[in-house]
Amino acid sequence: MIDERAKKTLLSVRGLKKYFPIGGGLVTKAKSFVHAVDGVTLDVMAGETLGLVGESGCGKTTIGRLVLKLLPKTEGEIFFQGEDIYQYSKEQEKNFRTKAQLIFQDSFSSFDSRDTIGKIIGEPLLVHGIASGSELQDRVSQLLLDVGLKPDLYNEYPHTLAAGQKQCIGIARSIALNPDFIVCDEPISALDVSVRAMVLNLLKDLQSSKNLTYMFISHDIRVVRWLSSHIAVMYVGKLCEYAETEEMFAHRLHPYTEALLSAVPIEDPRKRNIKREILLGEVPSPVDPPPGCRFAARCKLANERCFKEDPVLEERKPGHWVACWENFHGESEIS
Amino acid sequence: MEQSKKPKKTSLLRRFRHNKPALFAGIVLIIILTMILFAPIFTNFGPAKSDLANRLTGPTTEASMAVGVTQPHFLGTDQLGRDIYTRLLYGGRVSLNVGFTVATIGGVIGVVLGMLAGYFGGWTDMIIMRMVDVWASSPTLLIALTFVMILGPGQKNLIFALLINSWTLFCRMARSQVLIIRSSAMVESGHAIGASTNRILYKHIMPNIISPMVTTYILELAHFINAEANLSFLGFGVQPPDTSWGLMIGEGRKYLTQAPWIVIFPGLMIATTVLCLNLIGNWIRDEFDPLAVKL
């Protein structure tokens, strides 16, 4: 049963590109473009979690917005349950909005500060005409219980709550419509360390009880490892490596993944002397980038070819994709 | 719900009470509005009733000799023996009517257009805002004057003429406010749950820009009461025997040296009303704008 479900692709992204113009207006053309997402291809399996990692500004959030059709794409295709979301009819689009949801980094800023908690959580149900009146109130109370809050918060305002509870309100709002797929855009980055575990556990519990599929966007690879079944590593708009979580941690095939993993702090002080991969140089600008591998300038393996040709994402091992010209194998002792 | 709302409301009232100028302005405005709305209760004269025996008399507390009337001409009479106090009350109806109508209709049109321009951007924004630029680049009074000349004087035409320009400020204000909110997570969240554009615009964006709009409304109200007075003074507003504060000043101008009260009292009324509206407008702006520096 589980195996069958895992094989089903919920979301597939093919050659997705998003360029943001710099300058230019209605009449004049933009002179240059930010290549926020530059040809990304990946799949998200139903019932699983894809962890999308990369440093800030690498286009993780943009992908999250694109797969929810909250931004117009530049190029490429996104299929949700087999259908291209950019070809949807109005009816299909409305249906899509009940199936795919978003959890914000800072949920509080996504609330209308004039609304009560009940209104915020109940709005999706109201918008889609699923519940109203006392039924709505019952559903919202149940949702509050689902995320571990008291139902009597219904008439309170969110600014009276602690940050972790605000995030739970945001989660309750996004699961109100019983979606299949949720994009979690750095849902714990804005939280205190003390409440992160609470929110992560909640997300994991909800996933199993409601059979949710997550795209979990984060820059913290430890969190992603704990929650995700697959990991995709991004660098300046491109995918570097994509594999199952344990496979990725066992065999790093891209030097950037290696550097990312070895940057994770190690709790055990006795292991402090471990050899680490430390990146030098700066992240290149995503504005009209030159051809070649984006990582080349910081990569110790880079050769002439890396500066001239874009590496292609290829399946080096079954289920393990990597975009690198070199035959790299991570060696540092990280696990 | 009531529990959480109550403290907010009382503290707002308390803050209003502690702002002495705003409180004073509010009380004065309420008195003026009540007297104007219920003019017949506050005076025994009619607005056009001549007391020819007492033409151009100054303010007095002695009852007039007019038949059947036992009320003195508190604020004197004009060149036709009409009671200034009475005419102030009735003339105020015209002044406030023009002010409120122009500011309200202009406000609604301006806010809706401004919201569309700010929300949709692109060509919508370009067309609406260039229209605003064109209208706003020419002086309100000059445009209104031109239109009244074409349409002929009268209250309705005056309102129409002032409306032509009155929406532009609202439009600019609403647009700039919407531009700030449009890119917020709140709007994105609305899209994510599948809320319609209308719902996002009118249920989420509009309530959040309402307080700067109220401020603009009140300040514009003062502005258009002034504008009506100016146009009526020039004779392009209401026509005699009807009157407004501006027209009263215009008519009394010739008698300024002999009977200054004809001009002074309507002038005071305009100044008081406009000042009070400005004081309240400023208070609301400070109260609802978290970035405003509190003195």
Side-chain angles (χ1 to χ4, degrees):
Chain A
M1 161 96 194
I2 288 170
D3 283 336
E4 230 170 81
R5 203 182 59 200
K7 276 175 200 159
K8 219 179 128 203
T9 310
L10 183 78
L11 178 89
S12 50
V13 175
R14 292 286 170 268
L16 185 64
K17 289 186 185 177
K18 176 68 189 175
Y19 296 170
F20 292 103
I22 299 177
L26 287 174
V27 193
T28 50
K29 272 195 177 167
K31 283 188 186 117
S32 49
F33 292 89
V34 176
H35 294 219
V37 176
D38 207 353
V40 166
T41 295
L42 51 84
D43 286 329
V44 184
M45 305 297 169
E48 301 201 340
T49 301
L50 172 75
L52 199 53
V53 278
E55 47 203 287
S56 44
C58 74
K60 318 182 288 277
T61 300
T62 310
I63 289 189
R65 298 297 191 269
L66 286 167
V67 299
L68 290 177
K69 212 182 167 183
L70 293 173
L71 275 178
K73 61 169 184 177
T74 304
E75 224 176 86
E77 278 131 19
I78 300 165
F79 298 94
F80 184 76
Q81 293 177 335
E83 291 205 57
D84 190 339
I85 63 169
Y86 284 90
Q87 308 283 334
Y88 273 160
S89 67
K90 261 203 165 155
E91 213 39 53
Q92 281 175 309
E93 168 137 5
K94 200 156 192 221
N95 188 30
F96 173 66
R97 294 279 172 229
T98 67
K99 287 181 176 170
Q101 289 296 327
L102 176 65
I103 296 174
F104 287 85
Q105 175 170 1
D106 175 13
S107 278
F108 183 60
S109 70
S110 76
F111 302 152
D112 188 337
S113 52
R114 288 157 188 271
D115 283 352
T116 58
I117 289 169
K119 255 185 146 176
I120 289 165
I121 300 176
E123 194 183 8
L125 295 165
L126 202 65
V127 163
H128 290 276
I130 290 168
S132 59
S134 62
E135 200 200 335
L136 182 74
Q137 200 154 351
D138 292 344
R139 296 272 297 253
V140 172
S141 302
Q142 184 56 45
L143 284 165
L144 280 166
L145 285 171
D146 285 351
V147 297
L149 295 172
K150 288 189 208 131
D152 55 14
L153 286 174
Y154 191 90
N155 288 322
E156 298 289 319
Y157 286 87
H159 61 80
T160 58
L161 297 181
Q165 290 172 312
K166 285 175 189 164
Q167 198 64 14
C168 290
I169 303 285
I171 294 172
R173 178 175 156 104
S174 61
I175 60 167
L177 293 164
N178 278 325
D180 296 326
F181 175 59
I182 298 182
V183 173
C184 310
D185 186 6
E186 309 235 14
I188 59 159
S189 308
L191 298 178
D192 277 347
V193 178
S194 55
V195 289
R196 284 185 177 179
M198 186 264 286
V199 173
L200 282 176
N201 281 322
L202 174 66
L203 286 172
K204 209 162 191 178
D205 292 346
L206 287 172
Q207 178 163 39
S208 51
S209 67
K210 297 194 183 279
N211 195 17
L212 293 168
T213 306
Y214 289 143
M215 178 185 270
F216 193 90
I217 298 168
S218 179
H219 57 254
D220 188 340
I221 202 159
R222 282 181 301 172
V223 171
V224 169
R225 181 183 192 181
W226 185 77
L227 201 74
S228 312
S229 45
H230 288 77
I231 293 183
V233 179
M234 274 189 83
Y235 189 75
V236 200
K238 291 207 175 243
L239 225 53
C240 304
E241 197 169 355
Y242 170 74
E244 273 188 31
T245 306
E246 287 320 307
E247 162 70 17
M248 174 89 82
F249 275 82
H251 311 281
R252 285 89 58 190
L253 298 183
H254 196 287
Y256 179 62
T257 314
E258 177 79 355
L260 210 57
L261 290 184
S262 78
V264 172
I266 296 162
E267 288 90 349
D268 189 345
R270 277 164 298 185
K271 288 189 183 168
R272 215 170 257 166
N273 298 325
I274 210 164
K275 195 183 129 223
R276 283 173 186 268
E277 206 63 48
I278 293 166
L279 285 184
L280 299 172
E282 294 281 320
V283 183
S285 159
V287 180
D288 294 332
C293 179
R294 302 271 162 94
F295 188 59
R298 300 170 82 186
C299 181
K300 58 181 181 182
L301 304 172
N303 56 32
E304 226 170 273
R305 189 186 189 189
C306 296
F307 286 98
K308 280 181 185 154
E309 283 176 69
D310 260 352
V312 190
L313 194 69
E314 53 173 8
E315 195 168 15
R316 192 99 29 110
K317 286 177 174 184
H320 196 146
W321 298 71
V322 67
C324 181
W325 292 125
E326 288 296 314
N327 200 358
F328 175 81
H329 281 282
E331 278 155 6
S332 20
E333 320 160 36
I334 20 178
S335 56
Chain B
M1 183 156 185
E2 264 163 30
Q3 271 182 341
S4 53
K5 265 198 169 173
K6 251 184 181 171
K8 208 178 168 191
K9 267 188 183 167
T10 48
S11 63
L12 193 70
L13 260 179
R14 192 179 304 132
R15 286 205 297 274
F16 186 63
R17 268 214 309 277
H18 282 291
N19 187 319
K20 290 272 154 54
L23 179 67
F24 176 74
I27 293 170
V28 171
L29 262 188
I30 288 170
I31 293 173
I32 292 177
L33 278 177
T34 325
M35 290 184 75
I36 285 171
L37 282 175
F38 303 104
I41 299 175
F42 291 96
T43 178
N44 290 326
F45 295 107
K49 169 95 176 146
S50 292
D51 183 358
L52 288 172
N54 289 311
R55 283 182 299 150
L56 298 176
T57 39
T60 169
T61 47
E62 277 172 50
S64 92
M65 307 303 284
V67 193
V69 177
T70 50
Q71 180 187 309
H73 296 295
F74 296 119
L75 305 180
T77 59
D78 67 4
Q79 71 280 10
L80 294 176
R82 295 174 295 194
D83 187 50
I84 298 283
Y85 166 68
T86 307
R87 284 173 73 74
L88 274 184
L89 297 188
Y90 284 94
R93 287 181 167 185
V94 174
S95 298
L96 293 183
N97 182 21
V98 172
F100 273 106
T101 315
V102 172
T104 309
I105 300 179
V108 170
I109 296 174
V111 168
V112 169
L113 285 178
M115 277 171 62
L116 294 178
Y119 188 79
F120 290 106
W123 284 102
T124 323
D125 186 31
M126 170 121 148
I127 290 167
I128 293 175
M129 291 326 285
R130 288 305 83 78
M131 252 159 68
V132 169
D133 287 344
V134 169
W135 286 124
S137 60
S138 31
T140 313
L141 274 181
L142 220 56
I143 288 197
L145 212 60
T146 317
F147 272 82
V148 173
M149 294 242 256
I150 297 166
L151 297 167
Q155 203 186 145
K156 264 186 201 156
N157 292 344
L158 182 68
I159 289 175
F160 181 76
L162 286 172
L163 266 179
I164 286 168
N165 241 353
S166 71
W167 59 280
T168 53
L169 185 67
F170 288 102
C171 192
R172 279 207 174 126
M173 291 290 293
R175 175 178 175 268
S176 64
Q177 294 292 322
V178 170
L179 277 181
I180 299 168
I181 297 180
R182 183 181 65 165
S183 52
S184 72
M186 184 188 84
V187 170
E188 196 169 36
S189 171
H191 283 301
I193 60 155
S196 63
T197 306
N198 273 341
R199 186 182 172 88
I200 292 170
L201 267 176
Y202 296 108
K203 290 255 164 149
H204 293 302
I205 294 183
M206 196 140 93
N208 280 292
I209 64 166
I210 212 79
S211 46
M213 292 304 116
V214 168
T215 315
T216 314
Y217 178 80
I218 290 179
L219 297 177
E220 282 292 276
L221 189 58
H223 174 75
F224 287 111
I225 287 173
N226 244 335
E228 187 277 338
N230 290 339
L231 286 170
S232 291
F233 173 81
L234 296 172
F236 293 106
V238 288
Q239 295 301 300
D242 285 345
T243 194
S244 77
W245 293 339
L247 184 61
M248 285 172 79
I249 297 177
E251 285 184 336
R253 190 172 40 118
K254 282 173 264 174
Y255 306 92
L256 196 57
T257 45
Q258 304 131 272
W261 55 85
I262 304 179
V263 171
I264 287 172
F265 292 117
L268 273 177
M269 285 307 283
I270 295 172
T272 313
T273 314
V274 170
L275 177 68
C276 288
L277 285 171
N278 276 308
L279 285 173
I280 291 179
N282 286 342
W283 173 73
I284 293 178
R285 189 195 55 210
D286 294 347
E287 199 56 51
F288 291 101
D289 183 2
L291 298 175
V293 182
K294 299 247 159 70
L295 295 172

